[in-house]
């Protein structure tokens, strides 16, 4: 467990990790801007990707049905930080 961007960055350097794959809640909030999030880690030269089916976003009543905020956030990940993987493709690749 890394408590912040500095610890995570040091761990990545020590272990020659250059690509992180994020899953969890709030791809457009927590995973993007929290310490150790995509913004901090990409500034340290780490590629930051996400798995489409393993994230959600901060939605409201107008966006929730079609997960519009999630779609925009995933587009932002692909544009600025790394890749967006489908879970089936990811699981098959790591087998």
């Amino acid at each position: 467990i890394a408590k912040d961007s500095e610890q995570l960055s040091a761990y990545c350097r020590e272990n020659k990790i250059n690509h992180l794959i994020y899953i969890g809640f709030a791809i457009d909030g927590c995973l993007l801007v929290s310490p150790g999030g995509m913004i901090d880690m990409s500034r340290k030269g780490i590629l930051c990707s996400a798995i489409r089916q393993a994230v959600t976003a901060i939605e409201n009543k107008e966006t929730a049905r079609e997960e519009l905020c999630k779609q925009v956030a995933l587009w932002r990940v692909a544009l600025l930080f790394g890749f967006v993987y489908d879970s089936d493709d990811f699981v098959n690749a790591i087998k």
Side-chain angles (χ1 to χ4, degrees), residues 10-11 26 41 43-44 47 51 58 75-76 83 86 92-93:
Y11 182 84
M41 298 313 293
R43 287 180 178 154
K44 296 180 182 301
L47 192 63
I51 298 176
I58 303 165
W75 172 78
R76 183 177 294 122
F83 302 100
D86 284 321
N92 288 331

Side-chain angles (χ1 to χ4, degrees), residues 9-10 12-13 20 26 28 35 43-44 47 49 55 57 61 66 72 77 81-82 84 89-90 92:
S9 178
C12 289
R13 275 192 313 276
L20 297 173
D28 55 342
R43 287 180 178 154
K44 296 180 182 301
L47 192 63
S49 297
V55 298
K61 68 179 184 174
E66 298 194 28
V72 169
V77 168
F81 302 107
V84 176
D89 295 335
F90 181 79
N92 288 331

Side-chain angles (χ1 to χ4, degrees), residues 14-44:
E14 290 167 13
N15 293 281
K16 297 180 176 45
I17 296 169
N18 63 2
H19 190 176
L20 297 173
I21 299 173
Y22 289 76
I23 61 172
F25 181 72
I27 187 74
D28 55 342
C30 298
L31 298 177
L32 189 63
V33 299
S34 291
M38 292 182 178
I39 290 174
D40 285 353
M41 298 313 293
S42 68
R43 287 180 178 154
K44 296 180 182 301

